[in-house]
Every structure is written in C-alpha cells, then in structure tokens.
Amino acid sequence: MSGGGREGAPERDGLRAALAGLTTRGRSFLAAGLAAAVCSYLLGQADLLRVGLLLAALPLVCVLVLHRTRYRVAGSRTLAPARVPAGTESRVRLGMENISRLPTGVLMLQDRVPYVLGPRPRFVLDRVEAGGRREVSYRVRSDLRGRYPLGPLQLRLSDPFGMCELTRSFSASDTLTVVPRVEPLPAVRQVGEAAGYGDGRQHSPALAGEDDVIPRGYRHGDDLRRIHWRSTARYGELMVRREEQPQKARCTVLLDTREDAHPGAGPDSAFEWAVAGAASTALHLLERGFSVRLLTDTGSSVPGPDGAGSFAGGTGSADAAGLLLDTLAVVERSEEHGLSAAYDVLRGGNEGLLVGFFGDLDEEQAVVAGRMRQRSGAAVAFVLDGDAWTRGPGGIRFSDGQVPLAERLQLLRKAGWTALPVTPGDTLPALWRAAAEHAGTPETVAGGRS
C-alpha cells in the first residue's frame, strides 16, 4: 500500500469470530438476559422471561448484523520518505475510500507499527458517504537503525449500541528503512592519493607509442582525426585510435563488527558510531567518483548492483548510495573473534585507498590489521576507544587481552596506517580532516609499506 496504492476490502470474519468480538457491554447484556430467564423459570414470572429474552437477544442481533455488514472499502498507505536517517521522522499517510453504494457507519482505523516507532496510531472516522474518501496521517521516528514493517492496516467496526466490535485486517504492509546518520566530510586528499585520484579521473593513455597502438572499429560520431590509417589498411575497414581510458579510483571501507570489539549498546554506542562513520565515508567517496567496496571482519563484501561486491561512483552514485545505506541499516555485530577473514580478502590485490573502522584490538589482531596496509595505496584507521564509551564516572575498564589505545595506534602507524583515536563526542568530519593533515608525518608513516 505504499506509494498511494490501493487495496480492496478485507475479508469478513466468521460468525464465531463475531461472537468473540462482543464487548464488555454486550457480554453483560447477554449474561443478564440468561440470568433473568433462569430466574423467571424458578420464580414462575413470565414477564421476567420476556425481559430476559430481550436482554439476551439485543447483543446477538448486533453480532449478526455486524457480521453481515458488507462495507467495501479500499485502504492505502504512503511513506514520505520510506528511507530516513536515524533520529529523523517520516510521515505516514493513510487513505480510506468507500467504494460501495452505501454509506458506512463509524469506523476506527488502526495501523500496526513496531513498539520502537511509538504507540499504535488510532483514528475514528465518522460516516463515510458512498464514493467518499478520508485521509489521516501520523509520524514515526526511531533512533535505532533497521527495517521496520508498517501494517497491515486494521479496520474496526462497531454497532450503534456498542455491543460488538469486529477487527478486519488488510493484507498489505510496507517497510520503513532507518539508515545510519550520514555526515558530510570535507573534500581533503588523504595520503597516497595522486592528483586527480580523489576525483576518479586517473587516466591510462591508450597510446604508449605508434607501435603499441590498440585500435578499434570506427563508430558513428567518432572524430575522423582519430582514424589510424595503418590499421585501416591492415584490416580493410576504418579503424580509430582508442581514447584515454579512465581508471576508476578504488576504495575499501572496512567495518569491524566483532561483538567483543564494541562494548555497550544503544544509539550512542561505539558500534553505532562506527557504522555511521562507514556510511559517511562510503558516500563521500562515491560522490568523488571512487568505486567503493564495503567489507566486514567476516570477510564478506557487500554485493553491489553489479554483483561484484563494489559500488561504482560517478553516474548513478545515488542509486549505489541508497543500496549501501540499506545494507548498513541492518548490519549486526558478528561472532567473529579476529580479522583474519577480512585480511584474506584484502591480500588478493591492490585495494587503492583503505579506510578502516576498528574496535578493541588485542596484540594479535593489531598485527593482522597492520598487515592489511600492504595491499593498499593508502590506509586510514579510526580506532574506537571502547574504554571511553563504557567507563563510569571516574572509573576505567580494560578488556581481557586488550592492548592500550596508545599501543594500538603505534602498531598501526608503524605498519603505515594513518591511525587516529576516536572517543565519545568526536565527529568524523574533524577526524577526516585531521587524518589528511597528519598524513605524511614521520610518526604516521613510520615503517612505510611492506
């Protein structure tokens, strides 16, 4: 029912379900009628029997009438927007149209929503004329990422005496996607990026010399000045020199999702900061023309639109950004205990720019993370200080086997990473600029590339 679609009237419930819909008033009338009938038999009072039958018959007649009610209505639901960042609102519009020839009575609409989005919205609609339409709306908001089902829409019918209520449900439902918060990052060049690299405009010339030319067939619209006459004579058809081929700048965003690496929970936890940071970085690089791959500690790459595990920047980057955000909206913590699976994927080739978001690291995992630097043109690491997120007032906590933050940073920097610590209150735009400013300093590049 999203996007203004309509759905026909829900199916009617059985008579047994209608009897179960008796309200407290209806059950009281029925019980009073039965009690009056029993008393009339015991006391021999015929007038009391008539009163009892009237009391018992009224709720039963209401049940029968309500059960046979043939309202034909169409419902619709529209989300605006259907994808929202965490902490922002989305408006849900409900439409109810009477497509029968008879007016309806009083209707109550109720939409099912998860508890994290708030209480279930309820609306009372007065009499809807034949062919009439009513629209209502409500807002939903969540501070937690995820995909939340909305619906199905429920229609509650009641008789004028309040003896019986029936709830009939439509079958369609919609999904609200709450994605991580994305922050715009400054357009600075990270270490290892060549001129034009950040804009995705590296070019490899097709002509290394007259003897190395690789021509192709002439196509309508090609510049005649690019015709290669020697190849034309050889192949017997017009051949042209290839243009410079743009080489797509590549980047891998590594997200450490290990459960034991990110203590704490909730929208302000270290893990949520890392997810939001990965989303902001990936979208920023997509806008700059990078071909972005999202990799987790499990070694699985997020499948891109082409199924190759990467999202292409430039033209169509908006669609790629939407797919990437949808993926990060539902990413969960993994049960992995190390980064070896991600390292096995990265050592398959040159990854270009590598941006990592790491949680707590012991000495072994810090060494594994350092080796990842060998397969990248540049590497930037944001190391989250789990102690700073979990320590109480005046207290401190260290995980078993955890290397102190200063030593973690030093291990990564010796391996060639541009490593920065992340504590509560730090913003990614400031850290992103600081990474560019610190790149190339002796402390940052100590050890160089292995």
Side-chain angles (χ1 to χ4, degrees):
M1 291 193 298
S2 63
R6 296 201 314 171
E7 184 183 9
E11 295 182 358
R12 294 187 301 161
D13 299 315
L15 185 58
R16 180 177 298 181
L19 288 172
L22 283 171
T23 63
T24 302
R25 179 184 299 176
R27 296 175 187 273
S28 299
F29 267 68
L30 185 59
L34 295 177
V38 172
C39 291
S40 69
Y41 174 77
L42 296 176
L43 300 176
Q45 297 291 330
D47 293 338
L48 186 58
L49 177 60
R50 287 191 289 268
V51 173
L53 292 177
L54 178 61
L55 291 176
L58 181 59
L60 296 177
V61 171
C62 291
V63 167
L64 183 61
V65 172
L66 199 61
H67 169 65
R68 296 183 62 85
T69 299
R70 297 180 179 274
Y71 291 150
R72 296 183 59 199
V73 294
S76 64
R77 182 190 298 105
T78 304
L79 305 182
R83 181 195 293 126
V84 296
T88 59
E89 292 183 340
S90 176
R91 179 180 290 274
V92 183
R93 292 183 174 87
L94 301 177
M96 183 63 62
E97 183 179 357
N98 182 12
I99 58 178
S100 66
R101 298 181 179 179
L102 298 176
T104 69
V106 177
L107 304 176
M108 189 175 80
L109 295 181
Q110 176 178 280
D111 207 11
R112 291 185 179 180
V113 299
Y115 72 92
V116 71
L117 299 182
R120 289 186 177 182
R122 294 180 174 89
F123 305 94
V124 177
L125 302 181
D126 293 332
R127 178 178 179 273
V128 181
E129 68 279 3
R133 179 179 176 83
R134 300 289 186 272
E135 288 189 357
V136 293
S137 65
Y138 64 94
R139 294 181 180 272
V140 290
R141 179 181 182 272
S142 175
D143 292 326
L144 298 175
R145 298 174 295 106
R147 292 173 62 87
Y148 301 101
L150 299 180
L153 184 63
Q154 294 180 327
L155 179 64
R156 181 172 295 181
L157 308 176
S158 62
D159 64 278
F161 300 101
M163 298 289 178
C164 181
E165 287 185 349
L166 292 182
T167 300
R168 297 175 179 172
S169 298
F170 294 87
S171 59
S173 61
D174 295 283
T175 301
L176 175 69
T177 304
V178 180
V179 301
R181 298 185 184 95
V182 175
E183 298 181 279
L185 303 183
V188 295
R189 183 177 302 152
Q190 296 297 340
V191 61
E193 293 186 27
Y197 188 83
D199 297 328
R201 292 188 174 87
Q202 274 191 319
H203 295 280
S204 57
L207 302 179
E210 187 66 19
D211 295 333
D212 298 327
V213 65
I214 303 177
R216 62 167 176 83
Y218 175 82
R219 299 171 186 170
H220 179 72
D222 284 340
D223 191 346
L224 295 179
R225 291 174 295 182
R226 292 175 44 229
I227 294 178
H228 191 254
W229 296 108
R230 182 179 299 177
S231 298
T232 298
R234 178 184 301 174
Y235 294 102
E237 59 177 329
L238 287 177
M239 304 293 290
V240 297
R241 295 182 178 90
R242 292 181 183 270
E243 295 177 334
E244 290 186 342
Q245 301 298 319
Q247 182 178 352
K248 181 68 69 174
R250 291 176 296 173
C251 172
T252 296
V253 178
L254 174 61
L255 176 60
D256 183 4
T257 64
R258 294 173 298 140
E259 186 174 7
D260 54 1
H262 296 282
D268 297 325
S269 64
F271 180 67
E272 294 301 322
W273 194 100
V275 173
S280 301
T281 301
L283 265 62
H284 172 74
L285 295 174
L286 278 175
E287 293 174 354
R288 298 187 66 190
F290 279 75
S291 178
V292 179
R293 176 174 64 170
L294 178 63
L295 180 67
T296 66
D297 56 285
T298 62
S300 59
S301 299
V302 175
D306 56 358
S310 62
F311 296 85
T315 305
S317 61
D319 295 336
L323 292 173
L324 193 145
L325 287 176
D326 288 345
T327 301
L328 287 174
V330 295
V331 67
E332 299 290 345
R333 307 185 193 207
S334 71
E335 298 180 355
E336 294 287 330
H337 298 290
L339 301 171
S340 299
Y343 171 72
D344 291 339
V345 175
L346 290 174
R347 68 180 181 179
N350 189 355
E351 300 299 325
L353 177 63
L354 175 61
V355 181
F357 292 86
F358 296 104
D360 291 341
L361 299 171
D362 56 23
E363 184 174 359
E364 179 182 357
Q365 301 311 315
V367 172
V368 174
R371 293 175 181 172
M372 296 179 182
R373 171 67 178 84
Q374 301 174 6
R375 293 296 182 179
S376 63
V380 180
F382 300 97
V383 184
L384 281 74
D385 185 3
D387 295 328
W389 256 278
T390 56
R391 70 167 65 110
I396 189 170
R397 180 199 69 84
F398 284 98
S399 301
D400 295 337
Q402 175 187 328
V403 179
L405 180 61
E407 295 184 18
R408 281 181 275 167
L409 296 174
Q410 188 65 23
L411 287 172
L412 293 176
R413 288 167 179 166
K414 286 183 178 180
W417 286 83
T418 301
L420 285 85
V422 182
T423 57
D426 290 341
T427 62
L428 184 60
L431 293 173
W432 187 257
R433 187 179 297 277
E437 294 174 353
H438 294 165
T441 63
E443 180 186 14
T444 301
V445 299
R449 198 186 312 183
S450 307

